[in-house]
Amino acid sequence: MEFTEIFSWGNDRSGQLGLGPKHAKGVQKHAVPRYCSFNIAIRKMACGLDHSVFITNSYLVYSMGTNSLGQLGIIDKSGSCNKFSPILIEDLMDQDPYDVACGNNHSLVLTRYGTVFAWGHNHHGQCGVLKPTKNMKSLDVKVTKPTPVNCSNINQISCGADHSAVLDSYGKLQTFGCNQHGQLGLGSFSDEFAPVLITSIPERITQVACGVDQTLVLVDSGRLFAMGNNANG
């Protein structure tokens, strides 16, 4: 049987390392890489603050870690917020997932059809699929299962702590989520709860990368554009 050897280390307080239930009450900090035997062939993986997501060679998506804010993309009726072993996200079984990106508490999956699904905490709009009402508390603004984002022909995704960026096959970039530091590149500091096209970059964009609260964009000519928090340079 084909499988991928995965090693993980660091904080495992919520099960994000995928070491299994037997580690739930044991040592929760691992300074040495630990071997994870999932018996699955894995092609892509990403890590959030306290959750992890991976895509298998058979185009299935699994998640592990905390689900307190919907980070795992499942509706769990067991009453347990933490999953110490990978759990299948059934809503993505027929979507042919191609790539995955994780923010602090949200995730994006890109499919082979150029569509994007999002789930997790959405208090700044980083999932791009739900705008909170005035009566909603911050912790209530979560997307508990993969939900389509209103964009198409996407070939690249990236997540910051609380913002997201999607790049389409035409070199057009859309951003959404937290904009406290201007990380969306829209010339404002207002959060966006749906994808918004960046129009201030005149060239075709070839790559995007999101940091905690900053974003870098590479264009055809090789020039680099930056936006967001510059407190540390």
Side-chain angles (χ1 to χ4, degrees):
M1 179 179 179
E2 183 184 9
F3 67 95
T4 304
E5 290 187 344
I6 296 293
F7 292 84
S8 61
W9 58 94
N11 189 356
D12 193 38
R13 65 182 178 184
S14 301
Q16 58 265 49
L17 300 187
L19 298 178
K22 65 180 181 180
H23 293 275
K25 296 182 180 180
V27 177
Q28 295 184 337
K29 293 181 180 180
H30 301 274
V32 177
R34 299 291 303 270
Y35 174 64
C36 305
S37 179
F38 299 149
N39 294 322
I40 301 173
I42 299 171
R43 62 186 311 273
K44 292 277 187 176
M45 64 181 70
C47 293
L49 186 64
D50 289 317
H51 75 290
S52 305
V53 183
F54 62 81
I55 302 174
T56 71
N57 280 7
S58 55
Y59 300 102
L60 297 176
V61 182
Y62 288 82
S63 59
M64 51 200 179
T66 183
N67 197 36
S68 59
L69 296 170
Q71 297 97 315
L72 301 188
I74 62 168
I75 298 177
D76 184 19
K77 298 180 181 180
S78 69
S80 173
C81 283
N82 299 334
K83 299 298 180 183
F84 286 80
S85 297
I87 185 165
L88 177 66
I89 303 180
E90 296 183 3
D91 288 319
L92 293 172
M93 289 181 64
D94 300 321
Q95 299 300 330
D96 281 348
Y98 175 77
D99 199 6
V100 59
C102 293
N104 272 3
N105 297 298
H106 75 290
S107 299
L108 300 183
V109 156
L110 172 64
T111 76
R112 293 167 64 87
Y113 310 112
T115 55
V116 176
F117 288 81
W119 66 91
H121 203 190
N122 197 40
H123 61 313
H124 289 291
Q126 57 265 50
C127 290
V129 297
L130 174 68
K131 188 168 183 177
T133 65
K134 292 182 179 180
N135 296 325
M136 274 186 170
K137 297 179 181 179
S138 176
L139 292 179
D140 291 334
V141 187
K142 57 186 179 182
V143 180
T144 55
K145 57 191 300 185
T147 304
V149 180
N150 186 22
C151 56
S152 59
N153 298 311
I154 304 301
N155 61 14
Q156 192 178 145
I157 55 176
S158 186
C159 293
D162 295 312
H163 74 290
S164 305
V166 294
L167 178 63
D168 68 22
S169 57
Y170 306 105
K172 301 293 185 181
L173 181 66
Q174 299 175 75
T175 57
F176 45 98
C178 183
N179 199 28
Q180 180 181 357
H181 301 282
Q183 57 263 53
L184 299 188
L186 302 174
S188 68
F189 297 96
S190 301
D191 294 353
E192 296 292 343
F193 287 80
V196 179
L197 179 67
I198 293 181
T199 58
S200 58
I201 299 177
E203 299 181 53
R204 184 180 185 276
I205 297 171
T206 59
Q207 188 174 347
V208 60
C210 296
V212 173
D213 45 26
Q214 80 273 16
T215 306
L216 296 182
V217 170
L218 183 65
V219 300
D220 250 343
S221 65
R223 292 198 299 165
L224 189 67
F225 290 80
M227 57 205 82
N229 192 354
N230 194 42
N232 298 306

